[in-house]
């Protein structure tokens, strides 16, 4: 019955009392209150808004292209429209006729899009690559169908209106005197509307290309993080907690499978931060107990062959052996992050640590292991032998093989089932695949926005091609005069390409400014790259300039082949 801010304030007060009453357990711990809907969909909302923005950009590019084509088509009908007006047709009737044509085109495109979306949505829901909340409720149902058709009709009318209004008020006398193929002269100035639409397409395409470039750079940076272990050739399985009581027997069975090189188990996979963790739980002999978020430590329980199976290295000392049993002196292995944090430049070997009741002697320092997208050092962690510590999590088994790991999956599964038919295997895949699944979300956004960017690039190139091609067709007489007066083919080629480059330069300048503002929304999706990354901006605009140049080259080459004598035989 209270607002979120009031509830948050009261919970903070309660958390402060708990810290005061029991500082050891509650130091550095607060409380936060969020609406349930935000808790469920909060992480997906920003990403979905970014994707919606990309879709809107692509729609606007397509609409600008269609408007440009409609304008070219309507301009070619100037004599017909002038004749209609001379015979008594009202301007409104001409506009209505042209709007009907553009609306029918949009509705036809909308129906085709809905048909394609019906199949694509079903595939998307079946794959569910990023586990979006309520994704299985997504379908092309009645409301979606109405929205799609309304959007198609609205875009047809809105983007068909400008061409219709422009050509519905011609100079009737001049229009009747012109032939159907009347030539015109001039460049961008005579085609201001078409040039404006082409510039708008280019600017929107630049925004999408820069966004895709940022996500691509981010994804490359994420998967280039040194992992500290070798996932290649490893089969991974997550088993229930109760397996730990006889884990040695199970691992021995798995070692007997032909092709298996090493088998180990722990409370977490190498790419996970730790099996469990807390702040201030680890005590170091001779040092005061320290608490706080910066002293959070992970606990891992592992079997002797775990590091070998994972492809991790021991930087100093040794890892566990079969001799580290329940009756042997208690030992521990720490990772490099913990050694760097708590021992600075001192040698940790031989020092003692305590997690719980008993002290354990540090016998080794293992290399850091982390998953994709972990910047800097991972969480400081300490490993304990599985016979000397309580196994509090599921059993994560790693099987290093000398053959493709998935080829041994049936034999390994059979051994597990023969050991205990009632055992449920939570996960069972190659470690490479499990690791790849951790970057499924950024890969999904990269693929979607990258796909939108490629479509935008293609549509924009087609739009510029149409604009330049129409300009060449209208300037055939002018080009013939130029060539008759001594202009070389290279001069004509440079003139036409210059027209395309002028459109591109204006569009890129506007697009880069828009991308600078728009990419701030991508900040939470990026890793190791800032929204204003210069390489992404340069590559995005460079790709577009190259595509537009290629699109302009076709009509430019056609212009150089104009026969001056044929061009001068005008009506």
């Amino acid at each position: 019955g209270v607002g979120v801010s009031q509830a948050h304030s009261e919970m903070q007060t309660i958390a402060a009392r708990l810290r005061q009453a029991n500082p050891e357990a509650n130091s550095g711990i607060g409380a936060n209150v969020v609406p349930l809907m935000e808790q469920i969909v909060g992480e997906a909302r920003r990403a979905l808004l970014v994707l919606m923005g990309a879709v809107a950009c692509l729609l606007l590019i397509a609409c600008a292209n269609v408007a440009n084509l409609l304008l070219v088509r309507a301009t070619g009908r100037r004599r017909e429209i002038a004749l209609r007006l001379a015979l008594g047709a009202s301007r409104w009737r001409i506009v209505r006729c042209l709007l009907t044509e553009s609306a029918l085109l949009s509705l036809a495109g909308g129906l085709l899009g809905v048909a394609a979306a019906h199949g694509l949505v079903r595939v998307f829901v079946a794959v569910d690559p990023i586990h979006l909340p309520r994704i299985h409720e997504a379908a092309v149902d009645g409301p979606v169908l109405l929205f799609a058709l309304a959007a198609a009709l609205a875009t047809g009318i809105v983007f068909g209106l400008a061409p219709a209004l422009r050509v519905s008020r011609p100079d009737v006398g001049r229009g009747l005197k012109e032939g159907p193929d009347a030539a015109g002269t001039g460049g961008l100035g005579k085609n201001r509307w078409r040039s404006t639409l082409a510039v708008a397409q280019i600017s929107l395409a630049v925004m999408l290309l820069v966004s895709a470039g940022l996500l691509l750079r981010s994804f490359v940076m994420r998967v280039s993080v040194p992992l500290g272990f070798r996932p290649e050739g490893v089969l991974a399985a997550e088993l229930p907690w109760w397996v730990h009581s006889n884990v040695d027997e199970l691992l021995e069975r798995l070692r007997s499978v032909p092709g298996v090189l090493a088998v180990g188990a722990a409370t977490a996979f190498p790419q996970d931060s730790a099996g469990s963790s807390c702040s201030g739980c680890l005590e170091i002999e001779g040092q005061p107990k320290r608490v706080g978020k910066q002293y959070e430590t992970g606990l891992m329980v592992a079997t002797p062959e775990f590091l070998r199976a994972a492809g991790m290295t021991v930087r100093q000392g040794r890892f566990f052996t079969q001799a580290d049993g329940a009756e042997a002196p208690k030992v521990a292995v720490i990772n490099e992050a913990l050694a760097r944090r708590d021992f600075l430049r001192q040698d940790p070997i031989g020092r003692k640590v305590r997690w719980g009741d008993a002290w354990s002697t540090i016998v080794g320092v293992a290399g850091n292991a982390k998953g994709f997208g972990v910047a800097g050092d991972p969480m400081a962690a300490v490993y304990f032998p599985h016979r000397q510590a309580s196994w509090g999590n599921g059993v994560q088994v790693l099987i290093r093989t000398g053959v493709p790991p998935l080829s041994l999956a049936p034999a390994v599964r059979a051994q597990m089932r023969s050991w205990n038919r009632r055992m449920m295997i939570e996960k069972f895949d190659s470690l490479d695949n499990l690791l790849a699944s951790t970057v499924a979300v950024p890969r999904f956004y990269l693929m979607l926005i990258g796909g939108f960017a490629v479509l935008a690039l293609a549509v924009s190139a087609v739009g510029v091609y149409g604009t330049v091609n129409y300009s060449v067709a209208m300037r055939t007489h002018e080009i013939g005069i130029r060539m008759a007066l001594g202009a070389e083919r290279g001069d004509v080629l440079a003139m036409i390409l210059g027209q395309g480059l002028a459109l591109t330069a204006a569009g890129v300048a506007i697009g880069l400014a828009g991308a600078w503002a728009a990419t701030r929304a991508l900040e939470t999706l990026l890793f190791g790259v800032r929204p204003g990354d210069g390489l992404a901006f340069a590559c995005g605009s460079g790709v577009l300039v190259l595509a537009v140049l290629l699109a302009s080259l076709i009509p430019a080459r056609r212009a150089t082949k104009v026969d001056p004598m044929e061009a001068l035989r005008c009506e």
Side-chain angles (χ1 to χ4, degrees):
V2 300
V4 173
S5 58
Q6 183 180 344
H8 177 78
S9 177
E10 292 183 14
M11 287 300 295
Q12 288 282 34
T13 303
I14 293 172
R17 291 172 185 165
L18 290 172
R19 286 196 299 270
Q20 186 176 4
N22 192 352
E24 288 193 5
N26 297 312
S27 178
I29 297 176
N32 191 27
V33 177
V34 296
L36 180 61
M37 183 61 72
E38 183 178 335
Q39 178 69 18
I40 295 173
V41 302
E43 294 184 3
R45 179 182 287 114
R46 177 176 290 240
L48 290 176
L49 288 174
V50 168
L51 293 179
M52 190 180 296
V55 171
C57 282
L58 188 58
L59 177 63
L60 288 173
I61 291 171
C63 288
N65 203 347
V66 171
N68 213 338
L69 295 175
L70 289 174
L71 188 59
V72 169
R73 185 169 181 267
T75 303
R77 298 169 64 185
R78 285 176 302 182
R79 192 163 185 264
E80 172 203 338
I81 292 171
L83 186 59
R84 287 174 180 265
L85 290 169
L87 292 175
S90 66
R91 186 185 176 198
W92 164 239
R93 185 163 185 173
I94 300 295
V95 170
R96 188 175 62 191
C97 177
L98 295 175
L99 281 181
T100 301
E101 293 178 5
S102 63
L104 286 174
L105 282 173
S106 295
L107 284 175
L111 289 173
L112 288 174
V114 166
H118 181 70
L120 289 173
V121 167
R122 293 177 66 179
V123 172
F124 177 77
V125 171
V127 175
D128 191 11
I130 57 174
H131 305 291
L132 287 171
R134 303 176 65 187
I135 184 62
H136 294 286
E137 299 178 28
V140 182
D141 52 12
V144 173
L145 182 61
L146 288 175
F147 171 81
L149 294 179
L153 185 60
T155 52
I157 293 174
V158 171
F159 286 89
L161 188 60
L165 291 176
R166 181 170 175 78
V167 299
S168 65
R169 49 184 179 190
D171 183 337
V172 176
R174 182 182 175 186
L176 291 174
K177 292 176 184 177
E178 290 179 343
D181 300 317
T185 60
L188 295 176
K190 295 293 183 180
N191 305 309
R192 195 169 293 110
W193 271 98
R194 292 189 293 277
S195 300
T196 300
L197 290 170
V199 167
Q201 291 180 67
I202 292 171
S203 61
L204 290 170
V206 167
M207 293 170 61
L208 282 176
L209 285 167
V210 169
S211 299
L214 282 173
L215 289 176
L216 178 60
R217 287 258 293 149
S218 172
F219 187 80
V220 171
M221 294 286 288
R222 191 183 296 272
V223 299
S224 299
V225 169
L227 300 175
F229 64 97
R230 292 183 292 109
E232 307 87 7
V234 177
L235 195 62
E238 181 178 344
L239 307 179
W241 169 82
W242 55 264
V243 172
H244 80 276
S245 57
N246 292 308
V247 70
D248 288 324
E249 181 183 338
L250 173 61
L251 298 185
E252 193 60 39
R253 279 176 172 264
L254 296 178
R255 287 189 192 95
S256 66
V257 176
V260 171
L261 302 179
V263 183
T267 50
F269 289 125
Q271 68 267 24
D272 297 332
S273 56
S276 59
S277 64
C278 71
S279 173
C281 297
L282 184 71
E283 292 184 66
I284 300 174
E285 190 177 40
Q287 293 185 13
K289 188 173 182 180
R290 293 174 291 187
V291 297
K293 185 69 176 178
Q294 67 272 31
Y295 294 107
E296 186 174 9
T297 305
L299 166 66
M300 295 273 282
V301 179
T303 63
E305 270 198 325
F306 178 74
L307 254 62
R308 183 186 170 204
M312 296 171 61
T313 57
V314 177
R315 303 296 188 187
Q316 189 179 353
R318 68 173 178 87
F319 200 63
F320 312 132
T321 66
Q322 296 296 339
D324 296 317
E327 304 302 324
K330 295 188 178 299
V331 295
V333 172
I334 64 175
N335 68 352
E336 288 180 297
L338 193 147
R340 189 175 295 115
R341 186 192 73 185
D342 291 337
F343 293 97
L344 300 178
R345 298 179 181 177
Q346 301 174 6
D347 185 1
I349 303 298
R351 300 285 295 273
K352 291 188 175 182
V353 295
R354 180 168 69 178
W355 187 307
D357 299 329
W359 290 93
S360 301
T361 302
I362 298 174
V363 296
V365 178
N368 292 330
K370 53 188 176 183
F372 289 141
V374 178
D377 286 338
M379 179 187 295
V382 56
Y383 297 82
F384 294 104
H386 72 293
R387 295 197 188 100
Q388 296 182 358
S390 173
W391 199 297
N393 294 75
V395 179
Q396 323 294 336
V397 177
L398 297 181
I399 305 160
R400 181 162 291 279
T401 67
V403 297
L406 291 178
S407 67
L408 288 187
V412 169
R413 187 185 292 272
Q415 281 288 355
M416 291 180 176
R417 292 299 186 196
S418 66
W419 182 70
N420 191 312
R421 293 185 179 279
R422 295 180 293 113
M423 180 174 61
M424 179 181 293
I425 303 175
E426 305 284 344
K427 293 179 183 176
F428 193 68
D429 205 345
S430 68
L431 192 56
D432 270 328
N433 288 345
L434 290 181
L435 194 61
S437 67
T438 64
V439 291
V441 173
R443 182 173 58 242
F444 171 73
Y445 292 133
L446 170 62
M447 291 174 62
L448 271 187
I449 293 187
F452 293 153
V454 170
L455 284 173
L457 181 66
V459 173
S460 298
V462 169
V464 172
Y465 166 80
T467 300
V468 176
N469 189 55
Y470 182 77
S471 174
V472 169
M474 292 294 100
R475 299 173 69 181
T476 302
H477 186 65
E478 172 199 341
I479 293 170
I481 294 175
R482 288 176 180 271
M483 296 185 73
L485 293 175
E488 299 291 336
R489 292 181 182 272
D491 299 328
V492 175
L493 185 69
M495 180 183 68
I496 302 303
L497 286 180
Q499 180 180 345
L501 282 176
L503 294 174
T504 306
V508 167
I510 297 171
L512 288 177
W516 181 265
T519 51
R520 295 300 180 274
L522 294 175
E523 192 164 3
T524 58
L525 303 178
L526 300 178
F527 173 82
V529 180
R530 292 185 298 177
D533 181 68
L535 184 60
F537 276 69
C539 290
S541 54
V543 167
L544 187 72
V545 169
L546 182 61
V548 171
L549 269 177
L550 291 175
S552 303
L553 189 60
I554 300 172
R557 283 175 59 85
R558 187 180 299 125
T560 62
K561 297 177 182 179
V562 170
D563 184 348
M565 295 307 296
E566 290 292 331
L568 292 175
R569 290 196 186 102
C570 59
E571 187 175 346

